[in-house]
Amino acid sequence: MIVDPLDLAARLAVFALCAVLLLVGWRRGWAPSLKVTLLVALGLRVLMALVAGDFKPYDLDIDFHRAGVNALEHRDPILNAPQTGWNYLPTYALFLAGNVFVERQFDVPWMVVSRVGPILFDLGVVALVGLLAAPSFRPTARFLYAANPLTVLVSAVHGQMEPLCLLFALGAFVLILRGRGPEREGERGALTTRRVLLAGALIALAISVKTWPALFLPALLIALPTWRYRAQLVGAMGAVLAALFVTMPLTVGTPVSKLPDVMSVMLGYHPVVGTFGWSSVLLWLNPVPKGQLLHDPFSQTIGTIGTVLTLAAITAAVWWWRRAHPVDIAMVSASAFQAVTASHGVQYLEWAMPYATARPTRWTWLMSIVISLYAGTGYLVMTLLRNWNDIAPYYYMGGLAVVAAILVALPWARRRWEPDDGRPGSAEPALVGAAK
């Protein structure tokens, strides 16, 4: 049943190490320096990449490599990929082109070079998580994110785009939140038009890598104190996205006449339905052959319903927490998506994690462990099973437990943000169970 028991044991040992560090760090409130935390984060990710290196995720191995080759050879990665193979602006494809260049010129295996970037990007996220946390909690928040098994898996095993998306998105939050200083003795706060415009550019870059960081836009807009700043942020974001799109004929060789088709593909993309939560239950009750999921009327209906539910849930969550801390709003926006979406990938579970870690609730530790167990089962165990196709539907339905843990860990008691001194992040999160 298991392809290689020793391989599985090694994978689970590294996973257990991450989980123990997370739980003990939470319980004891560990607060190492940034340098030590980054070394721990790097060590865990390199170790995980080594023990799981034989696993080749299809998108990383095939879709990402093809996109890099196309970009390097000045071919549009969307027009030269199969359906759902590549559906994004060229930002990450150009980065992948550099990876392909290294692979060809220096004979570095693709599964090695393609994981280096996500690991390094995730180290940047570790640092930014601390900047979003309250000052006295900052070192602990960094360490908890660094040791989180989910974040280790997404960057070191899956080699996904999520770390870069989060790096840009969190950078936008840091610029705005750390710029909103109170006016004291006639001094103006540090928030300036330059900061707002740069934040707009950063969230645009996040969206250009992958479209889901648009979930964080409401939180960013709520964080801004005036409508003028909000207009500036949206304007900068729109300008950067438009520039990336109209320059595609120059950057990746997109024929000008094909730009409308490329835009249609970008806007119409969604993952395959039925691989998480409630939609997986419906497809278990009414099975659809895997090869027909994109075109079967039943799965398409589930996808349509899921899209409507997702938009409604995100809107409701933002409204319900509209007076909360912007970091909490970002967390609940991503969590609302996870709870009701019909189209899902395991890596999506990382979206809310930096925000939840920076401002944890009583049950954030439980959510982190449940999500990590779900992701670890998919990345580390399922990939070593000979009969994984038979078990997959039950694994997908296990996402219902993940949804329950996410809902429990939402900041239900923090609907109104009342900082002590007027600065975002000044109020201490409740690190329940941590040694003080």
Side-chain angles (χ1 to χ4, degrees):
M1 186 175 179
I2 299 175
V3 175
D4 190 338
L6 291 179
D7 191 3
L8 177 60
R11 295 180 179 191
L12 294 182
V14 178
F15 179 91
L17 174 61
C18 296
V20 168
L21 289 174
L22 173 66
L23 290 174
V24 176
W26 173 278
R27 179 66 183 173
R28 298 193 175 184
W30 279 350
S33 68
L34 176 59
K35 180 178 179 180
V36 171
T37 298
L38 290 177
L39 288 175
V40 171
L42 179 61
L44 292 175
R45 283 153 179 77
V46 171
L47 193 58
M48 184 65 80
L50 290 174
V51 299
D54 291 338
F55 169 45
K56 297 182 178 180
Y58 181 87
D59 49 8
L60 180 63
D61 188 34
I62 304 299
D63 293 335
F64 288 17
H65 188 265
R66 182 191 294 115
V69 170
N70 284 327
L72 184 63
E73 298 179 357
H74 204 59
R75 295 193 303 263
D76 185 283
I78 292 178
L79 298 177
N80 292 279
Q83 189 174 13
T84 75
W86 193 261
N87 309 274
Y88 318 107
L89 283 166
T91 307
Y92 205 74
L94 294 172
F95 168 73
L96 292 173
N99 289 349
V100 173
F101 178 82
V102 171
E103 177 196 29
R104 291 178 173 179
Q105 296 298 316
F106 301 99
D107 200 28
V108 180
W110 174 252
M111 297 311 296
V112 173
V113 68
S114 61
R115 285 171 166 140
V116 171
I119 288 174
L120 296 179
F121 300 145
D122 214 28
L123 298 184
V125 175
V126 169
L128 293 181
V129 166
L131 295 179
L132 290 181
S136 63
F137 182 59
R138 188 166 295 155
T140 302
R142 291 193 302 244
F143 182 83
L144 295 178
Y145 184 86
N148 193 303
L150 171 71
T151 65
V152 174
L153 289 167
V154 172
S155 60
V157 177
H158 204 163
Q160 264 291 342
M161 295 182 271
E162 267 61 20
L164 183 56
C165 290
L166 289 170
L167 184 64
F168 285 137
L170 266 64
F173 276 91
V174 168
L175 279 171
I176 291 176
L177 294 180
R178 292 177 65 85
R180 283 193 54 173
E183 296 187 9
R184 294 183 180 138
E185 299 179 359
E187 296 182 1
R188 297 180 60 186
L191 188 63
T192 62
T193 294
R194 179 179 297 179
R195 275 181 175 267
V196 174
L197 294 177
L198 182 55
L202 286 177
I203 194 64
L205 289 173
I207 294 170
S208 73
V209 174
K210 216 171 180 180
T211 52
W212 61 262
L215 286 169
F216 303 140
L217 184 59
L220 283 171
L221 295 177
I222 291 172
L224 292 169
T226 68
W227 285 103
R228 178 173 66 88
Y229 280 144
R230 291 166 187 157
Q232 290 173 349
L233 185 138
V234 172
M237 179 187 71
V240 171
L241 290 174
L244 290 171
F245 179 73
V246 299
T247 56
M248 286 181 68
L250 299 176
T251 55
V252 290
T254 308
V256 175
S257 62
K258 292 292 185 179
L259 285 176
D261 296 334
V262 169
M263 175 65 75
S264 177
V265 172
M266 291 179 186
L267 296 178
Y269 168 71
H270 64 80
V272 175
V273 302
T275 56
F276 186 79
W278 67 269
S279 63
S280 65
V281 176
L282 293 182
L283 285 175
W284 175 66
L285 296 172
N286 184 29
V288 173
K290 185 176 180 181
Q292 300 178 20
L293 279 174
L294 290 175
H295 309 289
D296 181 81
F298 183 69
S299 62
Q300 288 182 334
T301 300
I302 293 177
T304 300
I305 294 173
T307 299
V308 174
L309 286 177
T310 301
L311 292 174
I314 294 170
T315 301
V318 171
W319 182 85
W320 187 255
W321 273 277
R322 65 191 181 279
R323 294 186 178 90
H325 192 289
V327 172
D328 289 340
I329 298 173
M331 186 268 191
V332 300
S333 298
S335 297
F337 178 97
Q338 308 296 343
V340 301
T341 183
S343 306
H344 201 265
V346 176
Q347 68 273 19
Y348 297 179
L349 294 169
E350 189 179 17
W351 297 355
M353 197 58 69
Y355 305 96
T357 306
R359 288 179 55 83
T361 66
R362 179 182 180 86
W363 299 110
T364 297
W365 69 271
L366 176 64
M367 178 192 70
S368 298
I369 290 299
V370 171
I371 289 178
S372 295
L373 287 173
Y374 181 83
T377 301
Y379 286 129
L380 305 178
V381 180
M382 296 286 288
T383 55
L384 289 178
L385 298 180
R386 290 189 175 91
N387 62 332
W388 74 269
N389 273 315
D390 299 330
I391 301 174
Y394 304 99
Y395 168 69
Y396 297 148
M397 287 186 286
L400 292 172
V402 173
V403 171
I406 289 173
L407 294 177
V408 167
L410 289 176
W412 296 106
R414 298 204 303 248
R415 288 182 55 207
R416 183 180 293 274
W417 171 42
E418 296 178 353
D420 294 334
D421 65 356
R423 289 189 64 86
S426 61
E428 286 287 342
L431 187 60
V432 176
K436 290 292 186 180

